[in-house]
Amino acid sequence: MGKRTIKHLAVIGAGSMGHQIAMLSALGGYETTLQDIEQGSLEKAKESLHFQLGKWVKKGKISEEKLQAAFSRLCFTTDLTEAVSHTDFVIEAIVEKLDVKRDLFEKLDQLAPPHAILATNSSTIVNSKIADATNRPDKVCNMHFFFPPLVMDCVEVVKSEHTSGETAEITMEVSKQMNRTAVLLHKEISGFIANRILGALTKEAVQLYEEGYASFEDIDLICKKALNHPIGPFALMDLSGIDVAYFVNQQRYAETGDPQDKPPTCIEEKVKAGLLGRKTGKGWYDYSKLEVKS
């Protein structure tokens, strides 16, 4: 089995990650179905993709013909059975909560064809914690895209001790077909490579802020000016969602039991106040009076 046998791909979850992953799939030539339990989320995803890809056309990054061809390959549905019953490859991009993912994978195992690979886009939950909810652990892996997927050219493909070499190879090939650079991790570790490095930086930045060494604005400024980072850690939290950082810390603490892995107080306060970053108009920074670029 190889990439030529992957004809249809299903993406589950039409949020900030899922709808862009689905478009990458369609642009890569796959017949693609994007599924979400909320019709409103699908409508928002469709509108967002037309807006974002329309800008690509205006900038000459893609032709109108190629864009229309990609949209012709992309379907939207709230019906999970419809989305996966004839698929070859599933990418899960739902909320970063283990119990919810396990419930979904159990359903996917029952609904998807026996040959279908079931990949999770999770950035923190290793696939072995999900795979045993299925009868096909050899066909389960992590396929971690970076936000925003239409811009970021990297995918971390992660094997567990149960993931077959064939599954990893096909997932790498699918990534390539989507025009993304894939890197294979031969064994699991929570957070994988990029987010462990980023997490260490963010943890230190938050601790320096909480202990009063500098404002979060100035910590961001130092990272940009001294380290040449394109965006500071606090602004990046706003971009990806402060709640995402909170869930990551919760998951890490659940795994390690180390109090140092608990969500920092300032992060927990933001989440409880509903100040989640750009998507709510305010997080560390105030975006309510700014035009937020998609």
PDB file of all heavy atoms in Angstrom, residues 101-102 104-110 118 127 129-140:
ATOM      1  N   LYS A 101     -10.932  12.327  22.559  1.00  0.00           N
ATOM      2  CA  LYS A 101     -10.248  11.705  21.429  1.00  0.00           C
ATOM      3  C   LYS A 101     -10.439  10.187  21.442  1.00  0.00           C
ATOM      4  O   LYS A 101     -10.663   9.566  20.388  1.00  0.00           O
ATOM      5  CB  LYS A 101      -8.755  12.060  21.451  1.00  0.00           C
ATOM      6  CG  LYS A 101      -8.458  13.514  21.136  1.00  0.00           C
ATOM      7  CD  LYS A 101      -6.959  13.767  21.114  1.00  0.00           C
ATOM      8  CE  LYS A 101      -6.612  15.243  20.957  1.00  0.00           C
ATOM      9  NZ  LYS A 101      -6.989  15.802  19.655  1.00  0.00           N
ATOM     10  N   ARG A 102     -10.354   9.577  22.599  1.00  0.00           N
ATOM     11  CA  ARG A 102     -10.529   8.123  22.681  1.00  0.00           C
ATOM     12  C   ARG A 102     -11.938   7.718  22.239  1.00  0.00           C
ATOM     13  O   ARG A 102     -12.104   6.730  21.515  1.00  0.00           O
ATOM     14  CB  ARG A 102     -10.248   7.632  24.102  1.00  0.00           C
ATOM     15  CG  ARG A 102      -8.758   7.592  24.462  1.00  0.00           C
ATOM     16  CD  ARG A 102      -8.542   7.075  25.880  1.00  0.00           C
ATOM     17  NE  ARG A 102      -9.065   5.727  26.060  1.00  0.00           N
ATOM     18  CZ  ARG A 102      -8.393   4.616  25.764  1.00  0.00           C
ATOM     19  NH1 ARG A 102      -7.161   4.703  25.260  1.00  0.00           N
ATOM     20  NH2 ARG A 102      -8.935   3.434  25.978  1.00  0.00           N
ATOM     21  N   LEU A 104     -13.799   9.304  20.128  1.00  0.00           N
ATOM     22  CA  LEU A 104     -13.867   9.467  18.680  1.00  0.00           C
ATOM     23  C   LEU A 104     -13.162   8.323  17.963  1.00  0.00           C
ATOM     24  O   LEU A 104     -13.702   7.757  16.997  1.00  0.00           O
ATOM     25  CB  LEU A 104     -13.238  10.806  18.265  1.00  0.00           C
ATOM     26  CG  LEU A 104     -13.128  11.007  16.748  1.00  0.00           C
ATOM     27  CD1 LEU A 104     -14.509  11.015  16.087  1.00  0.00           C
ATOM     28  CD2 LEU A 104     -12.372  12.303  16.434  1.00  0.00           C
ATOM     29  N   PHE A 105     -11.969   7.946  18.423  1.00  0.00           N
ATOM     30  CA  PHE A 105     -11.223   6.891  17.742  1.00  0.00           C
ATOM     31  C   PHE A 105     -11.940   5.545  17.835  1.00  0.00           C
ATOM     32  O   PHE A 105     -11.852   4.721  16.926  1.00  0.00           O
ATOM     33  CB  PHE A 105      -9.799   6.803  18.281  1.00  0.00           C
ATOM     34  CG  PHE A 105      -8.839   7.692  17.535  1.00  0.00           C
ATOM     35  CD1 PHE A 105      -8.902   9.074  17.669  1.00  0.00           C
ATOM     36  CD2 PHE A 105      -7.897   7.150  16.681  1.00  0.00           C
ATOM     37  CE1 PHE A 105      -8.042   9.892  16.965  1.00  0.00           C
ATOM     38  CE2 PHE A 105      -7.022   7.961  15.973  1.00  0.00           C
ATOM     39  CZ  PHE A 105      -7.097   9.336  16.111  1.00  0.00           C
ATOM     40  N   GLU A 106     -12.636   5.328  18.918  1.00  0.00           N
ATOM     41  CA  GLU A 106     -13.432   4.103  19.028  1.00  0.00           C
ATOM     42  C   GLU A 106     -14.515   4.078  17.941  1.00  0.00           C
ATOM     43  O   GLU A 106     -14.752   3.047  17.302  1.00  0.00           O
ATOM     44  CB  GLU A 106     -14.070   4.020  20.412  1.00  0.00           C
ATOM     45  CG  GLU A 106     -14.846   2.726  20.645  1.00  0.00           C
ATOM     46  CD  GLU A 106     -15.403   2.626  22.053  1.00  0.00           C
ATOM     47  OE1 GLU A 106     -15.135   3.534  22.867  1.00  0.00           O
ATOM     48  OE2 GLU A 106     -16.108   1.632  22.334  1.00  0.00           O
ATOM     49  N   LYS A 107     -15.143   5.231  17.704  1.00  0.00           N
ATOM     50  CA  LYS A 107     -16.154   5.326  16.653  1.00  0.00           C
ATOM     51  C   LYS A 107     -15.520   5.200  15.276  1.00  0.00           C
ATOM     52  O   LYS A 107     -16.064   4.519  14.386  1.00  0.00           O
ATOM     53  CB  LYS A 107     -16.901   6.663  16.769  1.00  0.00           C
ATOM     54  CG  LYS A 107     -17.756   6.797  18.007  1.00  0.00           C
ATOM     55  CD  LYS A 107     -18.385   8.184  18.086  1.00  0.00           C
ATOM     56  CE  LYS A 107     -19.188   8.351  19.363  1.00  0.00           C
ATOM     57  NZ  LYS A 107     -19.728   9.740  19.502  1.00  0.00           N
ATOM     58  N   LEU A 108     -14.385   5.853  15.079  1.00  0.00           N
ATOM     59  CA  LEU A 108     -13.702   5.783  13.789  1.00  0.00           C
ATOM     60  C   LEU A 108     -13.330   4.344  13.451  1.00  0.00           C
ATOM     61  O   LEU A 108     -13.435   3.915  12.291  1.00  0.00           O
ATOM     62  CB  LEU A 108     -12.446   6.653  13.806  1.00  0.00           C
ATOM     63  CG  LEU A 108     -12.654   8.171  13.890  1.00  0.00           C
ATOM     64  CD1 LEU A 108     -11.312   8.879  14.045  1.00  0.00           C
ATOM     65  CD2 LEU A 108     -13.396   8.686  12.671  1.00  0.00           C
ATOM     66  N   ASP A 109     -12.892   3.605  14.452  1.00  0.00           N
ATOM     67  CA  ASP A 109     -12.508   2.211  14.235  1.00  0.00           C
ATOM     68  C   ASP A 109     -13.686   1.375  13.744  1.00  0.00           C
ATOM     69  O   ASP A 109     -13.524   0.473  12.921  1.00  0.00           O
ATOM     70  CB  ASP A 109     -11.953   1.633  15.535  1.00  0.00           C
ATOM     71  CG  ASP A 109     -11.361   0.246  15.362  1.00  0.00           C
ATOM     72  OD1 ASP A 109     -10.575   0.051  14.416  1.00  0.00           O
ATOM     73  OD2 ASP A 109     -11.700  -0.635  16.168  1.00  0.00           O
ATOM     74  N   GLN A 110     -14.862   1.709  14.238  1.00  0.00           N
ATOM     75  CA  GLN A 110     -16.065   0.976  13.836  1.00  0.00           C
ATOM     76  C   GLN A 110     -16.577   1.409  12.467  1.00  0.00           C
ATOM     77  O   GLN A 110     -17.128   0.596  11.721  1.00  0.00           O
ATOM     78  CB  GLN A 110     -17.172   1.198  14.876  1.00  0.00           C
ATOM     79  CG  GLN A 110     -16.842   0.637  16.250  1.00  0.00           C
ATOM     80  CD  GLN A 110     -17.820   1.120  17.318  1.00  0.00           C
ATOM     81  OE1 GLN A 110     -18.754   1.854  17.037  1.00  0.00           O
ATOM     82  NE2 GLN A 110     -17.582   0.716  18.560  1.00  0.00           N
ATOM     83  N   LEU A 118      -5.613   5.899  10.875  1.00  0.00           N
ATOM     84  CA  LEU A 118      -6.239   6.871  11.771  1.00  0.00           C
ATOM     85  C   LEU A 118      -5.141   7.700  12.432  1.00  0.00           C
ATOM     86  O   LEU A 118      -4.403   7.202  13.276  1.00  0.00           O
ATOM     87  CB  LEU A 118      -7.080   6.163  12.840  1.00  0.00           C
ATOM     88  CG  LEU A 118      -8.108   5.139  12.348  1.00  0.00           C
ATOM     89  CD1 LEU A 118      -8.858   4.530  13.542  1.00  0.00           C
ATOM     90  CD2 LEU A 118      -9.092   5.758  11.362  1.00  0.00           C
ATOM     91  N   ASN A 127       0.079   8.936  20.472  1.00  0.00           N
ATOM     92  CA  ASN A 127      -0.977   8.113  19.888  1.00  0.00           C
ATOM     93  C   ASN A 127      -1.218   6.793  20.616  1.00  0.00           C
ATOM     94  O   ASN A 127      -2.305   6.223  20.519  1.00  0.00           O
ATOM     95  CB  ASN A 127      -0.706   7.891  18.394  1.00  0.00           C
ATOM     96  CG  ASN A 127       0.491   7.007  18.119  1.00  0.00           C
ATOM     97  OD1 ASN A 127       0.408   5.786  18.178  1.00  0.00           O
ATOM     98  ND2 ASN A 127       1.628   7.619  17.793  1.00  0.00           N
ATOM     99  N   LYS A 129      -1.790   6.431  23.634  1.00  0.00           N
ATOM    100  CA  LYS A 129      -2.847   6.653  24.620  1.00  0.00           C
ATOM    101  C   LYS A 129      -4.234   6.613  23.974  1.00  0.00           C
ATOM    102  O   LYS A 129      -5.250   6.590  24.670  1.00  0.00           O
ATOM    103  CB  LYS A 129      -2.642   7.998  25.324  1.00  0.00           C
ATOM    104  CG  LYS A 129      -1.412   8.038  26.223  1.00  0.00           C
ATOM    105  CD  LYS A 129      -1.329   9.346  26.975  1.00  0.00           C
ATOM    106  CE  LYS A 129      -0.154   9.344  27.948  1.00  0.00           C
ATOM    107  NZ  LYS A 129      -0.321   8.359  29.029  1.00  0.00           N
ATOM    108  N   ILE A 130      -4.260   6.612  22.649  1.00  0.00           N
ATOM    109  CA  ILE A 130      -5.508   6.590  21.896  1.00  0.00           C
ATOM    110  C   ILE A 130      -5.698   5.268  21.165  1.00  0.00           C
ATOM    111  O   ILE A 130      -6.810   4.766  21.038  1.00  0.00           O
ATOM    112  CB  ILE A 130      -5.535   7.747  20.871  1.00  0.00           C
ATOM    113  CG1 ILE A 130      -5.355   9.098  21.572  1.00  0.00           C
ATOM    114  CG2 ILE A 130      -6.821   7.727  20.055  1.00  0.00           C
ATOM    115  CD1 ILE A 130      -5.167  10.261  20.620  1.00  0.00           C
ATOM    116  N   ALA A 131      -4.587   4.691  20.714  1.00  0.00           N
ATOM    117  CA  ALA A 131      -4.640   3.540  19.802  1.00  0.00           C
ATOM    118  C   ALA A 131      -5.368   2.339  20.382  1.00  0.00           C
ATOM    119  O   ALA A 131      -6.033   1.595  19.648  1.00  0.00           O
ATOM    120  CB  ALA A 131      -3.219   3.139  19.394  1.00  0.00           C
ATOM    121  N   ASP A 132      -5.271   2.141  21.697  1.00  0.00           N
ATOM    122  CA  ASP A 132      -5.902   0.959  22.267  1.00  0.00           C
ATOM    123  C   ASP A 132      -7.422   1.094  22.386  1.00  0.00           C
ATOM    124  O   ASP A 132      -8.100   0.171  22.831  1.00  0.00           O
ATOM    125  CB  ASP A 132      -5.284   0.583  23.614  1.00  0.00           C
ATOM    126  CG  ASP A 132      -5.495   1.642  24.688  1.00  0.00           C
ATOM    127  OD1 ASP A 132      -6.033   2.721  24.373  1.00  0.00           O
ATOM    128  OD2 ASP A 132      -5.131   1.384  25.848  1.00  0.00           O
ATOM    129  N   ALA A 133      -7.957   2.235  21.966  1.00  0.00           N
ATOM    130  CA  ALA A 133      -9.409   2.375  21.839  1.00  0.00           C
ATOM    131  C   ALA A 133      -9.886   1.789  20.514  1.00  0.00           C
ATOM    132  O   ALA A 133     -11.085   1.736  20.249  1.00  0.00           O
ATOM    133  CB  ALA A 133      -9.820   3.842  21.931  1.00  0.00           C
ATOM    134  N   THR A 134      -8.932   1.340  19.689  1.00  0.00           N
ATOM    135  CA  THR A 134      -9.244   0.766  18.380  1.00  0.00           C
ATOM    136  C   THR A 134      -8.750  -0.675  18.311  1.00  0.00           C
ATOM    137  O   THR A 134      -8.018  -1.150  19.191  1.00  0.00           O
ATOM    138  CB  THR A 134      -8.566   1.555  17.247  1.00  0.00           C
ATOM    139  OG1 THR A 134      -7.159   1.204  17.188  1.00  0.00           O
ATOM    140  CG2 THR A 134      -8.683   3.053  17.466  1.00  0.00           C
ATOM    141  N   ASN A 135      -9.126  -1.357  17.243  1.00  0.00           N
ATOM    142  CA  ASN A 135      -8.619  -2.698  16.967  1.00  0.00           C
ATOM    143  C   ASN A 135      -7.541  -2.667  15.894  1.00  0.00           C
ATOM    144  O   ASN A 135      -7.221  -3.696  15.295  1.00  0.00           O
ATOM    145  CB  ASN A 135      -9.779  -3.605  16.517  1.00  0.00           C
ATOM    146  CG  ASN A 135     -10.754  -3.878  17.639  1.00  0.00           C
ATOM    147  OD1 ASN A 135     -10.362  -4.308  18.722  1.00  0.00           O
ATOM    148  ND2 ASN A 135     -12.033  -3.611  17.401  1.00  0.00           N
ATOM    149  N   ARG A 136      -6.988  -1.473  15.641  1.00  0.00           N
ATOM    150  CA  ARG A 136      -5.951  -1.319  14.625  1.00  0.00           C
ATOM    151  C   ARG A 136      -4.802  -0.429  15.116  1.00  0.00           C
ATOM    152  O   ARG A 136      -4.455   0.561  14.451  1.00  0.00           O
ATOM    153  CB  ARG A 136      -6.558  -0.761  13.342  1.00  0.00           C
ATOM    154  CG  ARG A 136      -7.176   0.625  13.503  1.00  0.00           C
ATOM    155  CD  ARG A 136      -7.786   1.153  12.222  1.00  0.00           C
ATOM    156  NE  ARG A 136      -9.190   0.775  12.120  1.00  0.00           N
ATOM    157  CZ  ARG A 136      -9.949   1.016  11.060  1.00  0.00           C
ATOM    158  NH1 ARG A 136      -9.451   1.656  10.030  1.00  0.00           N
ATOM    159  NH2 ARG A 136     -11.215   0.644  11.041  1.00  0.00           N
ATOM    160  N   PRO A 137      -4.200  -0.712  16.258  1.00  0.00           N
ATOM    161  CA  PRO A 137      -3.137   0.156  16.779  1.00  0.00           C
ATOM    162  C   PRO A 137      -1.957   0.303  15.831  1.00  0.00           C
ATOM    163  O   PRO A 137      -1.238   1.305  15.898  1.00  0.00           O
ATOM    164  CB  PRO A 137      -2.730  -0.527  18.089  1.00  0.00           C
ATOM    165  CG  PRO A 137      -3.204  -1.938  17.962  1.00  0.00           C
ATOM    166  CD  PRO A 137      -4.446  -1.868  17.141  1.00  0.00           C
ATOM    167  N   ASP A 138      -1.771  -0.673  14.951  1.00  0.00           N
ATOM    168  CA  ASP A 138      -0.687  -0.583  13.973  1.00  0.00           C
ATOM    169  C   ASP A 138      -0.948   0.491  12.927  1.00  0.00           C
ATOM    170  O   ASP A 138      -0.022   0.947  12.243  1.00  0.00           O
ATOM    171  CB  ASP A 138      -0.484  -1.927  13.266  1.00  0.00           C
ATOM    172  CG  ASP A 138      -1.720  -2.380  12.517  1.00  0.00           C
ATOM    173  OD1 ASP A 138      -2.826  -2.360  13.114  1.00  0.00           O
ATOM    174  OD2 ASP A 138      -1.606  -2.762  11.338  1.00  0.00           O
ATOM    175  N   LYS A 139      -2.192   0.927  12.812  1.00  0.00           N
ATOM    176  CA  LYS A 139      -2.576   1.927  11.810  1.00  0.00           C
ATOM    177  C   LYS A 139      -2.880   3.277  12.453  1.00  0.00           C
ATOM    178  O   LYS A 139      -3.552   4.122  11.844  1.00  0.00           O
ATOM    179  CB  LYS A 139      -3.780   1.440  11.001  1.00  0.00           C
ATOM    180  CG  LYS A 139      -3.470   0.255  10.092  1.00  0.00           C
ATOM    181  CD  LYS A 139      -4.692  -0.152   9.275  1.00  0.00           C
ATOM    182  CE  LYS A 139      -4.320  -1.199   8.236  1.00  0.00           C
ATOM    183  NZ  LYS A 139      -3.873  -2.454   8.856  1.00  0.00           N
ATOM    184  N   VAL A 140      -2.399   3.495  13.663  1.00  0.00           N
ATOM    185  CA  VAL A 140      -2.619   4.758  14.377  1.00  0.00           C
ATOM    186  C   VAL A 140      -1.281   5.466  14.570  1.00  0.00           C
ATOM    187  O   VAL A 140      -0.273   4.836  14.921  1.00  0.00           O
ATOM    188  CB  VAL A 140      -3.299   4.517  15.744  1.00  0.00           C
ATOM    189  CG1 VAL A 140      -3.476   5.833  16.503  1.00  0.00           C
ATOM    190  CG2 VAL A 140      -4.650   3.831  15.552  1.00  0.00           C
TER     191      VAL A 140
END
